[in-house]
């Protein structure tokens, strides 16, 4: 999870729109990923980790601060295990400033296969990808 993904800030509507356009998805076709403890506190029924939970009810506060809730305040949500060190660390750091949750869609363009190599990933730069993290290297 998150290793061949486009990740974005769900509290920024411009970012949410950019991710949707990039991935060619509509509302609800992306899977936000969250810290397990955040998911337990903000969804009904509580979401345990690591699981994909279909349409748990999100708290009103979450829906007011993010752009990932559907009209009925449900959400498709993925939680991340502590053993997924890279993504758990990223969410922990992000959570210092905002809710510890990120948009998550597959790293591919509509009609194309999942990105599997550096050349294909670098080609995404012309499609609005700000940075790439590949094999531990951050490419600007």
């Amino acid at each position: 999870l998150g290793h061949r993904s486009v990740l974005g800030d769900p509290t920024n509507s411009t970012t949410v729109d950019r991710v949707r356009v990039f991935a060619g998805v509509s509302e609800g076709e992306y899977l936000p990923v969250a810290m397990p403890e955040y998911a337990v506190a903000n969804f009904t029924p509580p979401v345990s980790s690591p699981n994909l939970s279909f349409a748990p009810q999100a708290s009103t506060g979450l829906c007011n601060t993010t752009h990932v809730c559907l009209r009925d305040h449900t959400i498709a949500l993925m939680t991340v295990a502590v053993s997924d060190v890279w993504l758990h660390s990223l969410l922990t750091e992000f959570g210092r400033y905002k809710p510890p949750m990120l948009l998550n869609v597959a790293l591919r363009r509509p009609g194309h296969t999942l990105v599997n190599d550096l050349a294909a990933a670098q080609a995404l730069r012309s499609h609005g990808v700000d940075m790439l993290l590949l094999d531990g290297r951050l490419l600007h």
Side-chain angles (χ1 to χ4, degrees):
L1 178 64
H3 293 277
R4 290 188 297 174
S5 299
V6 174
L7 301 172
D9 177 0
T11 66
N12 183 312
S13 63
T14 301
T15 299
V16 173
D17 289 342
R18 284 181 66 203
V19 169
R20 284 183 188 155
V21 169
F22 170 84
V25 298
S26 60
E27 183 180 52
E29 291 182 342
Y30 44 81
L31 292 173
V33 60
M35 299 287 287
E37 55 275 13
Y38 186 76
V40 167
N42 286 281
F43 296 95
T44 306
V47 178
S48 60
S49 181
N51 286 312
L52 170 60
S53 298
F54 293 99
Q57 190 75 32
S59 69
T60 300
L62 176 73
C63 291
N64 288 340
T65 59
T66 66
H67 302 276
V68 296
C69 296
L70 300 175
R71 287 188 178 98
D72 63 357
H73 282 214
T74 60
I75 186 173
L77 178 74
M78 184 71 82
T79 54
V80 62
V82 175
S83 60
D84 187 343
V85 176
W86 176 83
L87 189 53
H88 194 276
S89 297
L90 178 64
L91 284 165
T92 299
E93 184 63 24
F94 189 78
R96 291 178 55 203
Y97 308 99
K98 297 186 177 194
M101 181 170 65
L102 292 168
L103 291 176
N104 176 49
V105 296
L107 184 56
R108 64 178 172 80
R109 295 282 300 149
H112 294 83
T113 60
L114 196 62
V115 169
N116 287 309
D117 59 40
L118 179 60
Q122 287 178 321
L124 296 176
R125 298 302 305 271
S126 64
H127 295 285
V129 172
D130 295 323
M131 290 181 252
L132 296 167
L133 179 65
L134 296 168
D135 298 326
R137 295 183 340 198
L138 185 61
L139 308 171
H140 294 274

